[in-house]
Amino acid sequence: MRFPKIRMRRLRKKKNIRKLVRSINVSKTDLLYPVFVKEGLKKKSEIKGLPNQYQYPLERLDELINKCEEAGLPAVLVFGIPESKDKIGSEAFNEEGIVQKALRYLNNNSDLGIFTDVCLCQYTSHGHCGVLDDTGLNNDKTLEILGKVAVSHANAGADFVSPSGMIDGQVKSIREKLDDAGYSGVGIMSYSAKYESNFYGPFRRAAESFPMQTGKEPTISGRSTYQMDYRARNQALREVALDVQEGADIVMVKPALPYLDVIRRVRETFDIPISAYQVSGEYSMIKKFEGESEEDILMETLFSIKRSGCDFIITYAALEVADLLMETS
Ligand code: PBG
């Protein structure tokens, strides 16, 4: 019996055929752009390690809005950097704090979707994502504060709040506080499967949020007592399941490229929007790539992240990708 010739290359024969059988697309409406607003800043300041990314003063947000709107980006994820920090991060829930002011400005002057990072690490003097006591990070005291932060963001016009501290019960607690305050229409995008990653360095410089080491027992080293250990395969799905159960509207996997397997498993398990965060170290690694194909490499990473099953990508490259897509579409 004759066996037919299998020629996979028939699918690759010419550009239009290749385009036809492509099943993954990255469009600018798949991109959520992280932005940094810093209190007391005089002019915008480029972030070391994150080329083309800036800390913005409140007074220059109009420029940022214009850029995003011209590029056709759908939404931003806002991070604030306060002038003063304390042990419990009280600036994070100050109604007149930097993020709250920025959110009001964005809400009044643009149609962009507004996501906000809900965490304490930029606001605490020790740089940890919650309040500390003799036992380390106090989970439930931190929950109380996160609820206040989320409500203050909702007051100022956030569409979605995004708890990023990996504090147990944060989605449930924030959902209840939002509902009690009359904000059942404000959503939660949870940083559900967030790893204690070495790829966050440039972000911590941008957000001024390096965690302090404590020498006394229990030693708090980095964020290993709250973020997931990347050497473990056995917690991500449970973290996501808990967040879904607690009422998250969107779940996130973070970082993205080194965790494509995790994105895939979450996709196969849950019918819920999934975002993936291409974090600061991933972006800076692409920027440091020697050779002229930086843009191609960037696109390849975004397609891979999309292919793994997420619905949209949080990336510092959002503005430049929107430009690239304009040129090549
Ligand atoms: C705050 C937070 C971090 C990032 C987003 N929100 C840093 C951290 O956990 O230290 C990292 C983003 C990036 O690296 O781009 N908890």
Side-chain angles (χ1 to χ4, degrees):
M1 207 186 55
R2 257 166 63 111
F3 192 73
K5 279 194 178 167
I6 310 280
R7 290 289 179 268
M8 292 305 288
R9 293 182 54 205
R10 289 173 205 136
L11 298 173
R12 302 166 197 156
K13 192 170 166 184
K14 42 166 143 158
K15 191 161 187 192
N16 275 332
I17 303 290
R18 292 195 297 274
K19 277 191 175 173
L20 184 73
V21 298
R22 262 180 208 170
S23 45
I24 310 297
N25 202 8
V26 172
S27 82
K28 50 196 173 186
T29 54
D30 295 326
L31 309 173
L32 175 58
Y33 187 44
V35 300
F36 300 94
V37 189
K38 183 173 173 179
E39 193 169 35
L41 201 63
K42 291 278 169 293
K43 48 183 188 186
K44 71 173 191 179
S45 134
E46 190 166 9
I47 298 160
K48 202 166 161 261
L50 281 181
N52 302 329
Q53 308 305 315
Y54 300 86
Q55 292 176 325
Y56 279 86
L58 207 53
E59 294 71 27
R60 295 291 294 278
L61 282 183
D62 50 340
E63 180 186 322
L64 180 71
I65 292 173
N66 286 344
K67 280 192 193 174
C68 293
E69 288 184 343
E70 269 167 37
L73 295 180
V76 288
L77 171 61
V78 188
F79 294 91
I81 305 142
E83 245 170 351
S84 66
K85 307 190 185 215
D86 61 21
K87 280 188 175 162
I88 65 157
S90 13
E91 272 304 302
F93 54 87
N94 178 353
E95 293 293 336
E96 293 306 314
I98 181 65
V99 152
Q100 290 76 1
K101 284 184 181 161
L103 297 178
R104 269 183 224 117
Y105 187 86
L106 289 167
N107 203 23
N108 292 330
N109 295 284
S110 85
D111 290 328
L112 291 164
I114 305 173
F115 289 68
T116 68
D117 188 83
V118 173
C119 193
L120 299 184
C121 56
Q122 287 107 271
Y123 300 90
T124 49
S125 40
H126 43 72
H128 282 284
C129 301
V131 286
L132 304 181
D133 63 18
D134 298 344
T135 65
L137 189 143
N138 185 310
N139 199 86
D140 294 9
K141 275 192 193 142
T142 303
L143 289 180
E144 287 297 314
I145 300 177
L146 292 180
K148 290 198 219 175
V149 177
V151 170
S152 81
H153 290 182
N155 277 336
D159 296 306
F160 278 82
V161 295
S162 299
S164 70
M166 293 296 283
I167 310 303
D168 287 318
Q170 59 185 3
V171 172
K172 175 173 186 282
S173 167
I174 287 174
R175 184 71 270 156
E176 286 171 359
K177 296 280 176 12
L178 286 174
D179 292 346
D180 290 349
Y183 290 116
S184 52
V186 171
I188 300 178
M189 172 173 78
S190 180
Y191 288 63
S192 304
K194 174 170 176 180
Y195 286 86
E196 201 221 5
S197 167
N198 297 295
F199 285 88
Y200 302 153
F203 170 93
R204 290 180 186 167
R205 221 175 282 132
E208 305 176 6
S209 61
F210 280 97
M212 207 183 73
Q213 303 290 117
T214 69
K216 58 178 184 180
E217 287 299 330
T219 321
I220 302 177
S221 152
R223 305 205 194 284
S224 53
T225 67
Y226 38 103
Q227 298 178 350
M228 276 193 297
D229 185 342
Y230 60 82
R231 303 154 192 91
R233 188 164 43 200
N234 52 17
Q235 292 157 41
L237 286 184
R238 205 159 156 225
E239 286 281 3
V240 174
L242 285 166
D243 283 359
V244 172
Q245 212 178 317
E246 291 177 24
D249 301 281
I250 303 172
V251 295
M252 189 200 299
V253 175
K254 176 185 174 194
L257 201 61
Y259 298 87
L260 296 181
D261 56 322
V262 180
I263 302 173
R264 166 58 58 190
R265 290 175 72 212
V266 174
R267 171 78 299 149
E268 283 168 356
T269 316
F270 299 93
D271 193 17
I272 188 168
I274 302 168
S275 61
Y277 200 144
Q278 180 176 58
V279 299
S280 56
E282 296 178 67
Y283 177 77
S284 86
M285 212 160 63
I286 294 166
K287 290 286 164 186
K288 282 191 183 130
F289 189 82
E290 302 276 337
E292 63 268 24
S293 43
E294 174 194 311
E295 289 173 353
D296 297 328
I297 284 184
L298 175 60
M299 291 313 293
E300 188 176 337
T301 62
L302 295 175
F303 271 86
S304 309
I305 295 166
K306 211 43 206 308
R307 199 180 60 235
S308 71
C310 69
D311 298 285
F312 64 94
I313 304 170
I314 302 158
T315 176
Y316 300 96
L319 282 174
E320 40 199 296
V321 172
D323 258 7
L324 287 176
L325 292 172
M326 220 105 73
E327 282 163 28
T328 55
S329 61

